Amino acid sequence: MSATETIDLDFEKGNFHYDTEYDYDAGTGLSEATIDYISGVKEEDSWVRDFRMKGLRTFTDKPMPTHWATRDLDNIDFNKIRYYLSKGQTPSRTWEEVPEDVKNTFERLGIPEQERKFLAGVEAQFDSEAAYSRMKDDLAKEGVIFVGSTEGLREHPEIFRRWFGKVIPTSDNKFSALNSAVFSGGSFIYVPPGVKVKQPLQAYFRINAENFGQFERTLIIADEGSEVTYMEGCTAPKFETSTLHSAVVELVALKGAKIQYITVQNWSNNVFNLVTKRARAEEEAEVKWIDCNIGSRLTMKYPGVILKGRKARGEVLSIALAGDGQHQDTGAKMIHAADETSSNIIAKSISVGTGRSSYRGIVNVPRNLKGCKNNTECDALLINSNSRTDTYPAITVRGDGNSVQHEASVSKVSAEQIFYMRQRGLSEAQAMSLSVNGFVNDLVREFPMEYSVELKRLIEMEMEGSVG
Amino acid sequence: MDSLHIEKLNVSIGEKSILNDFTLTVPKGEVHALMGPNGTGKSTLAKVLAGHQDYHTDSGSVLLDGKEILGKEPDEISHAGLFLAFQYPLEIPGVSIANFIRAAIESRLGAEESLDAPAYYRRLYEKMDLLQIDRKFTSRSLNEGFSGGEKKRAEILQMAMLEPTYCILDETDSGLDIDALKVVSNGVNFMRSNERGSLIITHYQRLLDYIVPDVVHVMWDGRIVKSGGKGLALELEEKGYDWVKDELAVACS
């Protein structure tokens, strides 16, 4: 498809909201009663309820990680958040059946159009639950499962339970515990051995309500020798109050499987985006996270791969754009746990105005392993003199038979570069945007076309807004 | 009217005055050379004409076909038809020459217009062939890791694609070997037209062996002190800038 056909999804485009009546509302604040309510409306088995209760206890016990993370976290008021809002727990299979207001929202975001053009399946989540979920029939015949987590737990407990919470334990961090307590929505995907899903599966996460917390839980299992690409997009309207998005995403790539997970988030600047994402890669499996973080008030996200089997490969390609007043605290984790495993991290960040971007990385290769490789590159671009970037790489490589390579750079768009570009006719904003696109260019080339075009447009929008 | 007309331009940086009542007219259809020793204000003139913000204009006017461009934004001046080939072109990492020129052309289109990409590439390749530039060049990041000669060729290519009404070439010959100098000169000669005026700023006579100017001006201490035909450049080459200085001293005493 050509660039002009790509779905328009810009920063302002997500900033709208239709008034919606909810049939299910857990009210404001978090207690055991909240969990009873959520578990009750979903008609969950007792083990799921117990899992949630354990999550709540862990969340309550764990301190906020402000000893290393930003103090802005203290501004989240958990008592003012609404933890569950939905119109029902069963998604529609056709867009006609989706309630009018919800359908209008997704149509305005271009989701049905994208589905027709290049997707193998779509799940569209509106606040707490999927409003729409559908996959192409031929994939279903091959045994592929692509449903929401509510449905996954109900219909496929035997696969779900086996891997659920195994890659990211409840106690991993305060927000994974919170998600474990109140999770709702997200995708459950299972790809049978040897099945290669050619077109991407896509989920779209939409926050519609004010003071709302979205806690989707995604679990993707690619069985031996299978392949799948999953893409997620996210937007929310701009509210005066803050919104919390705290997802947990677990990926399991069994022997020789390949998972590519692409995120293009475009949150409005009132969203706290605190997400835990991790994969487990077995022998000769490959997991690639492509992570584009634009918008939000604060994003903390460090996609990781546990390289569990021999010759497993993990990759994180990450782009973060911190606009004025925003903080993108992103990075990657590569935990080598078998011989001949390799990992690659390329992180590029752009800070605009008072925006701040931080890179945090962990690479761990223990002494007993042989033939492991890691490559880490972190490049930061500062647009204004008050922009900020910090890098916290923690690379621990022990043993003689392992190799590591690390490069980092910080650059700035100079006034002379801008003058040069303006002399050719570009406005200041166009010149900025072209420099930023040039900076991320080599990375964006790795993305599927539809998303690279969208990303370019998002960057342009962001830069237009940044020049006064 | 059809000219780049600079009238009594006074420019300073801080307390230091750089251009003093600088006056010059380059009519459409003519190529003028502006020569002078280092530090006499030639490059400042080029930047001021292009709208660089670092310089303070105390007084004067710059008319492009009768329209004032002094005080306008650099992109407005560019759209008005003035092109500056930089003495030191800037590197723009990750942005290919083709995409950069494309963005520059797109900045000239109206809100409803869109660029015809195949036609754009056809025209780009045509100009590259004329300027003897390898087509592989288009995918390289603009000026990144370019040799001096490659940077100047990229400037000429941009000039050829943007088809400005007035071209200012700031020390385009500096750092060029003889082959590169020929390519660049061919480009400028190829751009010569009744519809275009050019001002070639140079320290040396050498470039003028390849680009024969209609008028040669000698700049000294922020203004033009002597103008003449192409013979003036040769005379300068022979006698050196001190000759002008001595003449000036005589005239002033």
Side-chain angles (χ1 to χ4, degrees):
Chain A
M1 68 185 253
S2 83
T4 49
E5 282 174 337
T6 309
I7 314 312
D8 196 358
L9 183 67
D10 60 42
F11 202 69
E12 280 307 310
K13 196 154 183 175
N15 186 23
F16 65 91
H17 118 280
Y18 300 114
D19 280 334
T20 300
E21 295 287 317
Y22 296 96
D23 300 312
Y24 301 89
D25 183 348
T28 302
L30 179 60
S31 65
E32 290 194 359
T34 320
I35 285 163
D36 282 333
Y37 182 87
I38 297 172
S39 220
V41 298
K42 287 175 181 282
E43 296 170 20
E44 287 172 342
D45 287 346
S46 62
W47 74 266
V48 185
R49 192 183 161 281
D50 293 345
F51 181 91
R52 289 182 183 279
M53 286 298 178
K54 184 182 157 234
L56 179 64
R57 284 193 298 276
T58 312
F59 169 69
T60 314
D61 292 347
K62 267 194 181 293
M64 203 57 110
T66 41
H67 61 287
W68 61 269
T70 168
R71 300 209 72 87
D72 193 23
L73 287 173
D74 288 333
N75 294 317
I76 304 171
D77 189 344
F78 293 101
N79 294 318
K80 286 195 176 148
I81 292 170
R82 304 157 87 183
Y83 288 85
Y84 184 86
L85 285 173
S86 83
K87 283 172 175 287
Q89 293 74 36
T90 309
S92 306
R93 294 288 187 236
T94 67
W95 284 106
E96 287 71 37
E97 294 167 68
V98 175
E100 202 64 18
D101 48 350
V102 177
K103 189 172 79 175
N104 287 345
T105 298
F106 286 117
E107 262 175 9
R108 199 159 152 183
L109 293 165
I111 311 303
E113 201 184 338
Q114 281 185 320
E115 181 182 14
R116 283 193 299 274
K117 279 180 179 158
F118 65 91
L119 299 170
V122 167
E123 188 203 346
Q125 179 166 340
F126 191 83
D127 292 330
S128 294
E129 296 283 2
Y132 172 86
S133 172
R134 191 177 159 78
M135 184 180 59
K136 285 190 172 164
D137 295 339
D138 52 336
L139 286 178
K141 276 184 205 133
E142 289 189 87
V144 176
I145 301 168
F146 175 40
V147 293
S149 73
T150 310
E151 204 178 334
L153 269 171
R154 209 162 45 210
E155 309 292 330
H156 310 280
E158 70 296 342
I159 317 175
F160 203 108
R161 196 171 175 177
R162 186 172 163 206
W163 295 106
F164 182 55
K166 297 293 192 296
V167 186
I168 301 171
T170 297
S171 60
D172 188 78
N173 64 77
K174 191 170 175 73
F175 293 93
S176 63
L178 176 63
N179 177 283
S180 298
V182 294
F183 73 91
S184 184
S187 304
F188 171 67
I189 296 173
Y190 171 76
V191 187
V195 174
K196 296 186 166 98
V197 183
K198 288 187 185 66
Q199 286 177 300
L201 301 173
Q202 173 167 296
Y204 199 90
F205 298 97
R206 172 68 177 177
I207 291 178
N208 187 64
E210 193 162 4
N211 291 321
F212 177 70
Q214 192 171 52
F215 306 96
E216 85 266 14
R217 182 98 194 187
T218 289
L219 175 59
I220 300 176
I221 300 134
D223 214 324
E224 293 189 4
S226 69
E227 288 177 20
V228 66
T229 295
Y230 177 85
M231 319 207 280
E232 60 170 354
C234 337
T235 58
K238 272 180 206 162
F239 290 121
E240 290 303 309
T241 56
S242 59
T243 302
L244 176 60
H245 175 254
S246 193
V248 167
V249 176
E250 297 176 284
L251 311 183
V252 179
L254 296 177
K255 190 179 174 186
K258 285 183 186 169
I259 302 178
Q260 182 163 253
Y261 190 108
I262 304 160
T263 304
V264 178
Q265 76 165 54
N266 183 22
W267 292 116
S268 54
N269 58 12
N270 57 307
V271 176
F272 282 97
N273 183 44
L274 310 167
V275 173
T276 311
K277 289 181 163 168
R278 202 167 302 152
R280 176 190 162 111
E282 301 287 346
E283 194 175 331
E284 291 180 1
E286 273 182 46
V287 174
K288 186 191 253 190
W289 297 97
I290 295 181
D291 203 31
C292 308
N293 298 299
I294 295 175
S296 82
R297 168 173 171 169
L298 167 68
T299 287
M300 290 175 68
K301 193 199 307 170
Y302 322 98
V305 184
I306 301 162
L307 300 150
K308 199 81 183 157
R310 202 180 60 89
K311 286 192 172 173
R313 221 183 109 69
E315 193 163 17
V316 172
L317 306 178
S318 149
I319 292 175
L321 199 164
D324 212 25
Q326 298 176 344
H327 186 181
Q328 302 284 3
D329 197 321
T330 58
K333 293 180 182 175
M334 290 295 175
I335 310 302
H336 291 253
D339 289 341
E340 296 173 75
T341 48
S342 60
S343 59
N344 184 34
I345 300 169
I346 302 177
K348 297 210 176 206
S349 72
I350 303 123
S351 309
V352 185
T354 59
R356 176 181 173 193
S357 57
S358 309
Y359 170 83
R360 281 177 217 275
I362 292 178
V363 174
N364 188 40
V365 183
R367 192 186 306 276
N368 59 318
L369 298 185
K370 290 189 300 288
C372 297
K373 280 184 200 147
N374 166 262
N375 175 54
T376 301
E377 291 171 37
C378 324
D379 298 316
L381 181 70
L382 300 174
I383 300 292
N384 304 95
S385 52
N386 54 345
S387 313
R388 178 175 168 186
T389 183
D390 351 59
T391 306
Y392 310 94
I395 300 178
T396 313
V397 178
R398 296 205 164 83
D400 304 331
N402 302 306
S403 77
V404 65
Q405 203 175 322
H406 179 235
E407 280 175 44
S409 77
V410 178
S411 50
K412 200 172 178 322
V413 180
S414 73
E416 289 305 309
Q417 282 172 312
I418 297 294
F419 173 67
Y420 180 69
M421 290 187 268
R422 293 186 76 188
Q423 207 299 306
R424 301 303 184 243
L426 276 65
S427 68
E428 193 178 358
Q430 285 168 339
M432 290 280 194
S433 144
L434 199 64
S435 313
V436 170
N437 272 303
F439 172 71
V440 298
N441 194 24
D442 50 344
L443 207 48
V444 172
R445 250 181 258 152
E446 302 276 319
F447 295 10
M449 229 276 281
E450 296 82 6
Y451 273 54
S452 62
V453 173
E454 183 184 315
L455 185 72
K456 187 165 173 274
R457 202 196 324 266
L458 285 174
I459 289 172
E460 269 159 26
M461 293 294 301
E462 213 25 62
M463 300 318 292
E464 287 285 343
S466 71
V467 178
Chain B
M1 275 290 272
D2 276 0
S3 65
L4 166 64
H5 179 65
I6 307 162
E7 179 75 30
K8 292 195 171 165
L9 187 60
N10 286 284
V11 170
S12 55
I13 298 185
E15 295 291 296
K16 195 175 183 293
S17 93
I18 310 220
L19 298 181
N20 304 303
D21 278 346
F22 185 95
T23 300
L24 169 69
T25 302
V26 181
K28 241 181 214 174
E30 292 187 11
V31 172
H32 287 211
L34 182 65
M35 302 182 71
N38 288 329
T40 195
K42 301 190 300 291
S43 284
T44 299
L45 173 73
K47 285 184 178 171
V48 169
L49 294 179
H52 199 289
Q53 323 276 335
D54 282 359
Y55 302 90
H56 183 258
T57 305
D58 303 305
S59 63
S61 108
V62 179
L63 299 177
L64 210 65
D65 292 340
K67 287 198 189 97
E68 183 64 62
I69 57 165
L70 217 53
K72 293 244 190 307
E73 296 292 321
D75 38 327
E76 291 177 302
I77 296 171
S78 169
H79 292 171
L82 185 130
F83 182 94
L84 170 63
F86 281 55
Q87 181 177 7
Y88 303 109
L90 280 294
E91 295 187 1
I92 313 294
V95 179
S96 71
I97 292 183
N99 283 340
F100 183 74
I101 298 176
R102 186 175 168 160
I105 290 174
E106 280 174 333
S107 77
R108 287 160 167 77
L109 300 177
E112 300 301 310
E113 294 174 279
S114 66
L115 184 111
D116 176 352
Y120 163 73
Y121 277 98
R122 268 199 303 278
R123 201 164 75 85
L124 181 66
Y125 292 145
E126 239 169 63
K127 304 276 185 194
M128 292 178 80
D129 291 348
L130 276 167
L131 299 172
Q132 296 163 281
I133 297 173
D134 192 324
R135 287 190 185 184
K136 282 189 213 122
F137 206 61
T138 51
S139 58
R140 288 177 61 186
S141 287
L142 183 59
N143 297 327
E144 204 182 17
F146 282 21
S147 69
E150 287 173 328
K151 283 184 183 174
K152 297 302 163 81
R153 276 183 220 212
E155 293 292 284
I156 302 298
L157 178 62
Q158 292 173 56
M159 189 166 94
M161 287 299 286
L162 295 176
E163 300 187 325
T165 338
Y166 296 96
C167 308
I168 318 285
L169 291 96
D170 187 11
E171 304 274 1
T172 298
D173 50 335
S174 68
L176 292 195
D177 60 30
I178 205 77
D179 291 331
L181 193 66
K182 277 182 188 164
V183 171
V184 167
S185 309
N186 283 344
V188 175
N189 287 330
F190 155 77
M191 294 279 290
R192 266 185 130 138
S193 140
N194 288 334
E195 298 305 311
R196 183 172 293 120
S198 297
L199 181 65
I200 294 165
I201 297 173
T202 180
H203 186 76
Y204 302 105
Q205 200 290 128
R206 190 174 69 141
L207 180 66
L208 305 180
D209 289 341
Y210 300 95
I211 307 170
V212 182
D214 298 297
V215 183
V216 175
H217 306 277
V218 181
M219 191 170 174
W220 186 267
D221 198 20
R223 67 206 145 95
I224 288 169
V225 292
K226 203 173 177 60
S227 300
K230 60 184 177 201
L232 182 57
L234 295 168
E235 205 174 344
L236 265 181
E237 179 83 350
E238 198 181 312
K239 299 182 181 170
Y241 285 111
D242 283 347
W243 160 65
V244 183
K245 204 165 140 188
D246 295 344
E247 267 203 353
L248 213 63
V250 172
C252 288
S253 59

